[in-house]
Amino acid sequence: MNEKIWLSSPHMGGSERKYVEEAFDTNWIAPLGPNVNGFEQDISDFLNARQPVGAQTAVLTSGTAALHLALVMLDVRPGDVVLAQSFTFCGTTNPIIYQGAEVIFIDSEADTWNMCPDALEEAIITLVGEGYVLPEANVFKRTIRAIIPVHLYGMPAKLDEIQAIADNYQIPLVEDAAEALGSYYKQRACGTFGAMAALSFNGNKIITTSGGGALVSTQTKFVEQSRFLSTQARDNAAHYQHSKIGYNYRMSNVVAGIGRGQMEVLETRVEQRRANNQRYRTFFADVPGITFQNEPNADFYSNFWLTSILVDPKLTGGLTREDIRLALEAENIEARPLWKPMHMQPVFEGSRFFGPGICKVLFEHGLCLPSGSNLSDEDFERIFKALKSIVIDK
Ligand SMILES: *Cc1c(COP(=O)(O)O)cnc(C)c1O
């Protein structure tokens, strides 16, 4: 059997070990230290490079932890509602449940596959009509506390439209940028738009620390508070004193060393992922029934973390995305259906959903193709051979 080709596997740059060894040599084996500070600075510098928006960063144990702390800081509590993109990974929505709040799911639109601004506004108007209130009311009852759009597979959501709605109703935006480090909307880095944003450095992301995440904000108070809350909320005292419930969510200085090494190659990783995307486009150029997740116009710049296609059996002579996935699997090549929308998940059964159901159609017809930045020419030969046999030669 040929060696497995993964959907997206870790790709070290070379200097990660140096930073990790530094942590050992100096005995900074703790959730603080020079790598933690250095990694935070590197991320902030990267996010502020094209447009100096004042983004600041706190590194944490995961992207899910970052989203959880964002909701804690926005005071999401039982009885409240958070409006979240349904078409996503469970890390987006689980923290809403951790807070005892209700998640109401918003459909995607067909251009970016991300949160549909029309469905979002429809949800807000409907809920306000039912007696839900906006954060400005400042009362302890069913409040719409936050909106969470996602930049799926690196594709920026329609941020202007979504932000305008959020501003109009004064509901804070929390950006799930877990898949979108290195993506831009109107030349501004994804991860710098919302009141807060989450990044992820999980093993399959564009850069990885084996596991990890970050909370980003242009507001100092949120970043400082997330450092405080992620280290068990210790008050300033010689003894251990607590006036708040905290979390053990801070990134370790060992892990942050991997992150510092990865930041040195992030720019290259984006180029490599985008080059992969281009290779697939060239391959499928003349194949009817195969379309891509596309940047709608020059305002959108995706890191193309994963290259994703839609397969229309009406135009492919009956061939489905599952046929393609299985053909690749037979050659030991990993491909995966798009995220199964959260409102269709057993665990969220009975949840409310706004929109015509575009994300369901995307899920049924979509496939993520092997997209690692470490795929070799030989890997691509194998992938294209397998694809050719099922899609073209049939
Ligand atoms: C990976 C991911 C997360 C969560 O990140 P972890 O670091 O794995 O906790 C959240 N949202 C999306 C869309 C993701 O892809």
Side-chain angles (χ1 to χ4, degrees):
M1 188 53 123
N2 274 320
E3 214 176 301
K4 176 140 182 168
I5 295 178
W6 299 93
L7 187 69
S8 175
S9 71
H11 188 185
M12 294 297 105
S15 52
E16 291 82 3
R17 270 171 205 270
K18 181 190 76 183
Y19 292 108
V20 171
E21 268 166 29
E22 260 171 40
F24 275 80
D25 291 342
T26 54
N27 205 30
W28 280 105
I29 315 290
L32 80 169
N35 283 337
V36 169
N37 300 339
F39 188 27
E40 288 181 345
Q41 191 60 51
D42 292 345
I43 296 166
S44 301
D45 289 347
F46 179 88
L47 295 173
N48 294 321
R50 278 199 202 175
Q51 264 191 51
V53 291
Q56 299 164 61
T57 308
V59 288
L60 304 168
T61 46
S62 71
T64 308
L67 287 160
H68 187 198
L69 288 188
L71 299 184
V72 168
M73 288 186 276
L74 292 175
D75 219 4
V76 174
R77 60 178 87 197
D80 287 342
V81 157
V82 174
L83 305 175
Q85 181 166 325
S86 179
F87 199 27
T88 188
F89 172 65
C90 66
T92 310
T93 48
N94 283 350
I96 301 165
I97 308 303
Y98 302 164
Q99 286 306 100
E102 181 188 358
V103 51
I104 292 185
F105 294 106
I106 309 296
D107 203 358
S108 292
E109 41 80 18
D111 295 341
T112 66
W113 302 3
N114 292 313
M115 183 177 270
C116 171
D118 295 337
L120 172 65
E121 185 147 40
E122 187 203 330
I124 297 169
I125 291 168
T126 305
L127 293 172
V128 168
E130 291 173 9
Y132 284 86
V133 302
L134 300 170
E136 64 177 356
N138 202 19
V139 292
F140 295 126
K141 71 174 217 188
R142 306 192 295 167
T143 302
I144 309 171
R145 286 279 173 207
I147 300 168
I148 314 182
V150 187
H151 310 303
L152 227 49
Y153 310 122
M155 184 65 68
K158 291 187 170 170
L159 282 160
D160 271 357
E161 288 90 335
I162 293 168
Q163 186 74 61
I165 294 166
D167 289 349
N168 187 30
Y169 295 96
Q170 293 191 32
I171 305 170
L173 207 63
V174 175
E175 228 189 315
D176 183 343
E179 302 177 1
L181 183 57
S183 298
Y184 297 84
Y185 178 76
K186 294 189 171 173
Q187 295 294 319
R188 179 171 173 162
C190 289
T192 67
F193 285 85
M196 285 170 267
L199 303 175
S200 169
F201 313 113
N202 193 22
N204 60 359
K205 298 286 155 72
I206 191 155
I207 62 166
T208 180
T209 59
S210 70
L215 183 137
V216 177
S217 180
T218 56
Q219 299 178 56
T220 307
K221 62 172 181 187
F222 287 137
V223 177
E224 283 180 351
Q225 225 199 333
S226 64
R227 291 192 186 120
F228 171 72
L229 289 171
S230 65
T231 49
Q232 302 288 26
R234 266 189 79 184
D235 294 339
N236 205 359
H239 57 275
Y240 277 78
Q241 167 129 336
H242 306 277
S243 36
K244 271 198 155 170
I245 293 295
Y247 303 84
N248 188 1
Y249 279 173
R250 194 72 163 129
M251 181 179 279
S252 122
N253 192 59
V254 178
V255 159
I258 307 175
R260 284 181 90 179
Q262 288 274 278
M263 285 306 290
E264 293 179 7
V265 292
L266 173 56
E267 211 80 73
T268 314
R269 297 293 176 259
V270 175
E271 284 165 22
Q272 288 162 327
R273 298 253 177 184
R274 287 181 61 88
N276 289 344
N277 187 267
Q278 200 48 57
R279 283 175 104 143
Y280 284 117
R281 282 174 196 270
T282 306
F283 176 83
F284 283 118
D286 300 319
V287 180
I290 307 280
T291 52
F292 285 80
Q293 184 189 33
N294 292 316
E295 294 163 331
N297 58 52
D299 290 342
F300 296 79
Y301 183 91
S302 173
N303 65 10
F304 284 121
W305 168 57
L306 296 184
T307 289
S308 306
I309 56 169
L310 294 176
V311 183
D312 183 350
K314 290 197 293 294
L315 298 174
T316 56
L319 193 77
T320 66
R321 71 114 148 98
E322 197 54 11
D323 296 329
I324 298 176
R325 192 185 70 76
L326 291 171
L328 290 169
E329 190 176 80
E331 297 299 326
N332 211 17
I333 299 167
E334 184 185 29
R336 204 179 289 163
L338 304 189
W339 298 123
K340 179 171 181 175
M342 284 300 132
H343 76 281
M344 295 167 66
Q345 297 284 356
V347 72
F348 287 116
E349 206 183 321
S351 296
R352 296 177 74 179
F353 171 80
F354 285 86
I358 288 171
C359 62
K360 179 169 182 282
V361 179
L362 292 170
F363 166 63
E364 284 164 355
H365 296 293
L367 190 68
C368 298
L369 298 169
S371 301
S373 47
N374 48 6
L375 291 174
S376 64
D377 287 343
E378 294 72 43
D379 291 336
F380 268 108
E381 263 174 45
R382 268 177 64 198
I383 294 166
F384 287 141
K385 189 165 166 245
L387 285 173
K388 186 167 177 290
S389 69
I390 177 103
V391 178
I392 297 170
D393 303 338
K394 290 189 269 231

